Amino acid sequence: MTTPGPMTTPGPRDPTAGLGTGRPEQSAYMLRTAAMEAGRAYKEQLLGLLDLRPGHTALDAGCGPGTDLPALAERVGGTGWVIGVDRDAAMLAEARRRTAGLDRVELREGDLNALPVADGSVDRAKTDRVLMHVPDPAAVLARLHAAAAPGGLVGLVEPDWDTLVVDSEDLDTSRAFTRYTVTEVVRNATIGRSLARLAEQAGFTVETVCATTPVLRDAELADYTLGLGRNIERAAAAGYVTEARARRWFTGLAEGPFHASFTLVTVLARR
Ligand SMILES: C[S@@+](CC[C@H](N)C(=O)[O-])C[C@H]1O[C@@H](n2cnc3c(N)ncnc32)[C@H](O)[C@@H]1O
């Protein structure tokens, strides 16, 4: 199962050419997403909610290319400790590059199901757009609960792809794109709405639930982030929409003005 990811750019194109290209390098995709205005806003909000203090041990579970590690390190200061965990060696290599010189940051390669962190050792933890990918989110939340120190805070952010809207005169094809994304592309596509319940079921006390709505107004960036071209092509191959309609929809998006948005849910939970 894949995730929404970088695609081709809508625009004048050979009508016989495919809409999708190969998957660009994932850590670059993650960094570009984080740099988007909408990406920065929800990340700032999450860091604020986590109430990080000097001396804390902070865990970034599924840290990807290390986007948030410098900010975590700054907040826990010279007496704190930051642990980034990811299972992807290429992501960790990028994270290592980004945190070179930050001697209070440690990177560990591992799967969140067997989180390589001692029980009760973490004051603050965050996981950002990771649970939507894992086979058993409840098991990962249970591991995070075990890793958290009593009273520790965990911040979780996940999208709900059922809320994805893409503006087009062809509303049915936009809906087909969302339906395909939810059904075929993302493993736990609607986890955003279930996040608070899952956290409670894992033993946490949920303190805050809030939602943000990133708005993408740049067709190229949205294609890069949401996989508009590649996934509408796959949706057509799977019979969600005709090929001709998929092609018209995709090329029409470039004519703009462009709008796509979706809901990201943030949960702050205490052990
Ligand atoms: C969408 S990226 C988010 C990265 C980072 N949290 C951020 O906000 O930039 C998802 C990350 O989760 C990692 N991941 C997915 N499943 C995992 C698992 N079971 N164990 C460890 N890492 C996992 C991927 O390797 C990837 O780096």
Side-chain angles (χ1 to χ4, degrees):
M1 206 168 264
T2 56
T3 60
M7 302 288 136
T8 53
T9 304
R13 55 189 303 114
D14 173 357
T16 63
L19 300 181
T21 58
R23 227 176 149 71
E25 205 262 306
Q26 287 296 288
S27 61
Y29 157 64
M30 230 72 89
L31 289 171
R32 192 167 169 185
T33 307
M36 287 160 44
E37 197 182 325
R40 280 197 305 270
Y42 87 84
K43 280 181 175 292
E44 278 300 318
Q45 181 190 47
L46 177 64
L47 287 171
L49 285 170
L50 275 174
D51 187 27
L52 290 141
R53 304 278 174 85
H56 274 160
T57 294
L59 167 69
D60 191 349
C63 65
T67 315
D68 300 328
L69 297 174
L72 292 172
E74 191 185 326
R75 285 167 169 79
V76 303
T79 55
W81 195 251
V82 176
I83 304 166
V85 174
D86 206 282
R87 67 173 178 192
D88 185 312
M91 289 287 183
L92 286 175
E94 177 62 22
R96 207 158 279 122
R97 193 193 61 73
R98 285 172 73 81
T99 57
L102 297 177
D103 57 5
R104 310 294 297 177
V105 176
E106 181 190 350
L107 295 166
R108 299 181 187 173
E109 188 168 340
D111 196 288
L112 299 190
N113 279 297
L115 193 62
V117 173
D119 285 358
S121 66
V122 160
D123 302 298
R124 299 289 184 264
K126 62 168 275 285
T127 180
D128 178 355
R129 294 166 301 134
V130 179
L131 297 178
M132 67 172 170
H133 300 296
V134 303
D136 188 352
V140 171
L141 285 167
R143 276 300 299 130
L144 283 171
H145 185 266
L153 284 172
V154 174
L156 314 165
V157 182
E158 297 295 331
D160 193 313
W161 290 112
D162 219 10
T163 64
L164 173 63
V165 298
V166 180
D167 178 45
S168 164
E169 287 175 7
D170 184 354
L171 184 57
D172 285 344
T173 299
S174 289
R175 285 179 172 149
F177 178 81
T178 296
R179 209 166 60 251
Y180 181 77
T181 301
V182 168
T183 313
E184 311 282 354
V185 180
V186 184
R187 193 191 296 267
N188 307 310
T190 61
I191 193 167
R193 75 188 68 179
S194 309
L195 211 46
R197 173 170 56 80
L198 291 170
E200 291 274 358
Q201 287 170 352
F204 289 104
T205 301
V206 170
E207 296 201 339
T208 305
V209 182
C210 48
T212 49
T213 307
V215 175
L216 307 173
R217 299 184 61 206
D218 180 288
E220 182 189 352
L221 198 53
D223 183 30
Y224 193 76
T225 309
L226 303 172
L228 298 172
R230 183 181 57 193
N231 288 332
I232 198 62
E233 187 171 49
R234 289 175 176 176
Y240 282 69
V241 61
T242 67
E243 213 172 284
R245 213 159 153 181
R247 197 170 290 279
R248 269 200 307 278
W249 178 82
F250 182 68
T251 51
L253 296 181
E255 286 156 19
F258 180 85
H259 173 108
S261 55
F262 60 94
T263 300
L264 265 179
V265 179
T266 298
V267 167
L268 184 75
R270 193 179 291 277
R271 173 168 176 191

